[in-house]
Amino acid sequence: MLNAIKKRMRRARRRTGKRSARPRRRQKRILQLAMVSALLAIIGLGVYVYESNKTYSSYKVLNTSEREESVSTQYLEVEGNLFTYSKEGASLQDVKGNVFWTVPYEMQSPIVDACDSTIVAADQGGTTMVLFNREGEMGSAQTERNIVKVCVAKQGVVAVILDDGSDTWINFYDSKGNLIAENQARIDEPGYPLDIAVSEDGQLIMVTYQFIDGAEIASYVAFYNFGTAGQGRIDNIVSGYQYNGVVIPQTVYLNSSTAVAFRDDGFSIYKGKQIPKESANITVDKEIISTFYDTENIGMVFENEGKDQLYTMQVYDTKGREKFQTEFNIPYSNIRMSEGAIVMNNDSQVCVMGTDGSQKFKGSIAEGNIEDFFKIGRNKYVLALEHTVAVIKLK
């Protein structure tokens, strides 16, 4: 009997040992996975830090394609592709020169705007407007009054400032060119419209007006909501802000809930998808000569008088907090945010800066006169030259 009891006890201990081994193996696997995840995170952080701090001294041409457009052709970068437009028509092509589509039209002074892959081209001073997407033409319209400015939303809704010589109008069109709504703007109320912006979903239109308040110039920023929040409001205006003694020549939507009004003495930020509210107000005491922006950054450039460096740049986040201030010395003709980088160029030089103010690359281009310059991916850039389009890689 005693021997039988001892055998059962030994078997029980073996079974207990086997059961307790499983949780230990699971814990070991969990620990291994956690260590691998931590190692990958450290490697990723290291790559990010390395790329953020890396600088370049030269470039390599990856490919080139010939330009066959007229000398009046202009470029717009649309999600890594080139939208080319002129008086005779527009086309979309990749950076290797492969043309997706070409749409003819006749315009005397074409202007364009894009939101993601949706594009509008309009005849400034004329009455023709055409909308495009990846597949080609979406729709078109003939306005009753002369076009001053246009702005498009992602799904193709277009806001247009129109002028008939005595009054101005803010009209709203769908992606097929059908009129959705119109508002007349008078000089005395609410003023003369200077610029316009549309939210990504097409629900909100932001308009800046200029008027005279007593003996002083004043500006008014109005938000029109054509959704449910704007129903029952006078002219669909859900919020508005007056700024005395300043001009507001530029408005823009950075994302679905953040808009910016660039004043001649700084900028204001507005937050809200239905009823935008002013969230930050930045004032500067220098003349602003350039602005640039993306979904996360707002930048301004000022000219330096009597200094070795030609310009000062200030960049802010969307909460109005300054990220950095730096001086630089390239006499640029174009500046923009492109794929998370600040890029600029003149006829013969390009410069790339990070969003921390560090200079990544500055150099001369030997392939020809530069008309445009933008980033298309990790360390790859497009040069729109006088006769060719070149893709380069910094090294």
Side-chain angles (χ1 to χ4, degrees), residues 193-212:
L194 293 184
D195 202 14
I196 193 167
V198 183
S199 61
E200 289 182 351
D201 60 5
Q203 292 286 318
L204 285 161
I205 298 180
M206 177 187 187
V207 184
T208 174
Y209 297 94
Q210 184 175 333
F211 63 100
I212 301 298

Side-chain angles (χ1 to χ4, degrees), residues 195-261:
D195 202 14
I196 193 167
V198 183
S199 61
E200 289 182 351
D201 60 5
Q203 292 286 318
L204 285 161
I205 298 180
M206 177 187 187
V207 184
T208 174
Y209 297 94
Q210 184 175 333
F211 63 100
I212 301 298
D213 186 9
E216 185 180 42
I217 291 177
S219 294
Y220 181 67
V221 175
F223 288 92
Y224 299 80
N225 190 316
F226 290 94
T228 56
Q231 295 179 4
R233 301 291 190 102
I234 297 175
D235 294 331
N236 294 90
I237 296 178
V238 291
S239 61
Y241 297 87
Q242 181 170 327
Y243 302 88
N244 294 325
V246 299
V247 177
I248 305 179
Q250 184 183 14
T251 59
V252 62
Y253 259 92
L254 303 184
N255 53 51
S256 60
S257 60
T258 306
V260 176

